[in-house]
Amino acid sequence: MKISVDSKFNCKIMQTIAIINILVVSIVISSILTMHFNKVYAESDISTEIKIGIYFNDKSKGISKAVSYFNVYADKGLVIGCQNDKDFTVLTQVNSNNKLKVRKDDFFNEENIGPFHVKIGNDYSSYNDIASKIKEFKSNGVNAYPSYDNGNWSIMSGFYLSENLAKEDIDNIYSKKFLNTEFAIVQGNNKSIVVTSNSNGNMNDVIGLFKIDNAVLQIKPAKENNPFIFNLDGKNYRGFIEVSRLNESDMTVANVLSIEEYLYGVVPCEIEYTSNYEALKAQAVASRTYAVKNLGEYSKLGFDLCNTVYSQVYKGFDYEREITNKAVDDTKGEILYYDNDIAQVFYFSSSGGKTEAAKNVWSYDAPYLQIVDDNYEEENSTNYFWERSLTYSDLNNILISRGNNIGDICGIKIINRSDAGRPIKIILMGTKGEVVLEKARCRDVFGLPSQWYDITTDAEIAVFNTN
């Protein structure tokens, strides 16, 4: 089906099912809407650190950004270590600006078993204890590398497809070159991370094999870096990264930095940096308030917020502008409160001329998040009008991906609208059942830019709209 929009509330769909616009939620700043917030300095009450998900999967939101590997470097080198609740332990340091390739230890065979490594000798207490031994092994033609497993160091060699191949090398190579040395075959696991000293991931250049269960692997710019930034897959960021292996999120990477530095990379992405300076400051306050209020939203994935529109758009150091950095600095520590509690603020790029009450979008109500006419937005603003076209197949795939297989779509009905005119309850009818969508799901399930739309079609399905 195809959709064509005739006017703000009249859209047409052809040959499938199309959903059409009216509003796209994303930038009126609450403090500007005369809602009587108190702007206060409360820096002492604000966490100074925030973790932003860069690569991750989140099935609940349909986000699939986790990676199998990534490249990272800093001009003056990197420090690799692990962080527990209290302390950071340096595991090793790379003093060059070579790109490191960080990847999963996941070279599996057809039975989904592997990889296999050969452990040479016993455990050691520190990296320094094995450094000279590794050089000795390498000089004898053995590709040895350090392995860290929850506090214990050992020397490993090889990434084998099968246990038999590892055993053959032990019998034919290792045991003959290193007499009176014990060898063991160690199977890889879904928690280990491999770091190599080149972006090609050559297994002859392994810096370390790291398995950390009760802490998290961190990669930081060496203190010699000024500014203190690093490059992740071609993009520059402040702070450092945490890397973890999660069952449903492949290899997850989070950027850890101060909240104020985080805002440097948010504000110019959420408002034009050429805007009036007072508007830039208002955006900084709104973004800071949102960040503080929503700390820990993605705690199950090991970070606070993500770098997408599901939190706030964050693009790091490369997108910073001097004027927006100044707006962040000039409002340092300022957040919005309502009745002595941090306000839940939202902003949007287009309102379609009217905001929406929180109770019609989420599961709570707030006296300061109500329907308000937006007389400042012009009809030529981005996404004031929009249209989307979805085929039968599109709709079926969307519903199935969310665990709802209702067969062939045969009807759609908007059951309820808010006082502002947005659908807040929709039913989709199929040959095997039906699905009811309410509030924000009327928008999110279809990936629409707004919750304000009509549905029309000339296909052979029934579409019912409320008045």
Side-chain angles (χ1 to χ4, degrees), residues 151-251:
N152 294 317
W153 287 94
S154 60
I155 299 174
M156 296 284 186
S157 180
F159 291 81
Y160 296 95
L161 186 62
S162 71
E163 188 172 4
N164 286 336
L165 291 174
K167 189 175 185 305
E168 287 178 12
D169 273 5
I170 290 176
D171 295 339
N172 300 327
I173 300 176
Y174 300 124
S175 60
K176 293 180 179 180
K177 287 191 174 185
F178 307 105
L179 302 176
N180 302 319
T181 301
E182 293 184 2
F183 302 95
I185 297 176
V186 178
Q187 184 176 334
N189 58 78
N190 62 0
K191 297 298 181 183
S192 296
I193 296 169
V194 181
V195 181
T196 63
S197 60
N198 62 79
S199 59
N200 296 322
N202 193 320
M203 293 301 100
N204 292 321
D205 299 305
V206 177
I207 291 175
L209 173 64
F210 304 99
K211 181 176 183 292
I212 304 171
D213 292 324
N214 299 317
V216 62
L217 185 71
Q218 293 184 342
I219 303 177
K220 302 181 176 184
K223 62 181 180 180
E224 291 79 11
N225 286 278
N226 186 16
F228 193 71
I229 64 172
F230 64 93
N231 186 286
L232 175 65
D233 287 339
K235 299 176 182 178
N236 292 305
Y237 296 90
R238 294 178 184 268
F240 57 91
I241 58 174
E242 288 189 347
V243 188
S244 55
R245 298 283 307 278
L246 303 178
N247 291 336
E248 295 185 355
S249 187
D250 213 2
M251 193 157 67

Side-chain angles (χ1 to χ4, degrees), residues 43-288:
E43 186 180 2
S44 60
D45 299 327
I46 299 176
S47 170
T48 58
E49 185 179 87
I50 192 168
K51 299 181 181 182
I52 308 300
I54 305 297
Y55 298 139
F56 64 97
N57 288 342
D58 186 349
K59 288 186 177 180
S60 67
K61 292 183 171 62
I63 301 175
S64 182
K65 296 178 60 180
V67 294
S68 295
Y69 66 88
F70 61 87
N71 295 315
V72 61
Y73 75 90
D75 287 341
K76 300 295 183 181
L78 295 164
V79 175
I80 300 173
C82 61
Q83 177 74 49
N84 59 24
D85 292 337
K86 297 181 180 179
D87 304 311
F88 176 75
T89 301
V90 175
L91 301 180
T92 187
Q93 183 163 341
V94 179
N95 295 319
S96 69
N97 62 355
N98 288 348
K99 288 183 179 179
L100 305 185
K101 186 167 189 174
V102 182
R103 69 173 187 83
K104 302 185 297 181
D105 184 26
D106 66 348
F107 186 58
F108 293 98
N109 63 16
E110 61 274 12
E111 282 82 34
N112 203 33
I113 299 173
F116 294 91
H117 314 282
V118 173
K119 180 181 177 181
I120 305 174
N122 299 314
D123 289 338
Y124 297 82
S125 60
S126 71
Y127 175 80
N128 292 333
D129 292 338
I130 63 176
S132 60
K133 284 285 187 181
I134 289 176
K135 289 181 179 179
E136 177 186 339
F137 292 147
K138 284 189 173 182
S139 66
N140 281 277
V142 174
N143 178 26
Y145 53 84
S147 173
Y148 179 85
D149 187 344
N150 295 305
N152 294 317
W153 287 94
S154 60
I155 299 174
M156 296 284 186
S157 180
F159 291 81
Y160 296 95
L161 186 62
S162 71
E163 188 172 4
N164 286 336
L165 291 174
K167 189 175 185 305
E168 287 178 12
D169 273 5
I170 290 176
D171 295 339
N172 300 327
I173 300 176
Y174 300 124
S175 60
K176 293 180 179 180
K177 287 191 174 185
F178 307 105
L179 302 176
N180 302 319
T181 301
E182 293 184 2
F183 302 95
I185 297 176
V186 178
Q187 184 176 334
N189 58 78
N190 62 0
K191 297 298 181 183
S192 296
I193 296 169
V194 181
V195 181
T196 63
S197 60
N198 62 79
S199 59
N200 296 322
N202 193 320
M203 293 301 100
N204 292 321
D205 299 305
V206 177
I207 291 175
L209 173 64
F210 304 99
K211 181 176 183 292
I212 304 171
D213 292 324
N214 299 317
V216 62
L217 185 71
Q218 293 184 342
I219 303 177
K220 302 181 176 184
K223 62 181 180 180
E224 291 79 11
N225 286 278
N226 186 16
F228 193 71
I229 64 172
F230 64 93
N231 186 286
L232 175 65
D233 287 339
K235 299 176 182 178
N236 292 305
Y237 296 90
R238 294 178 184 268
F240 57 91
I241 58 174
E242 288 189 347
V243 188
S244 55
R245 298 283 307 278
L246 303 178
N247 291 336
E248 295 185 355
S249 187
D250 213 2
M251 193 157 67
T252 298
V253 180
N255 182 195
V256 185
L257 70 172
S258 73
I259 285 183
E260 300 301 315
E261 289 177 326
Y262 161 65
L263 295 176
Y264 290 161
V266 168
V267 174
C269 298
E270 294 287 7
I271 187 172
E272 291 290 340
Y273 71 92
T274 54
S275 300
N276 181 280
Y277 186 62
E278 292 303 312
L280 297 181
K281 289 166 63 179
Q283 178 67 62
V285 173
S287 291
R288 183 182 295 107

Side-chain angles (χ1 to χ4, degrees), residues 439-456:
K439 300 184 179 182
R441 283 175 56 79
C442 296
R443 167 194 178 187
D444 296 341
V445 167
F446 303 115
L448 302 176
S450 165
Q451 196 177 320
W452 199 352
Y453 56 80
D454 281 335
I455 304 173
T456 63

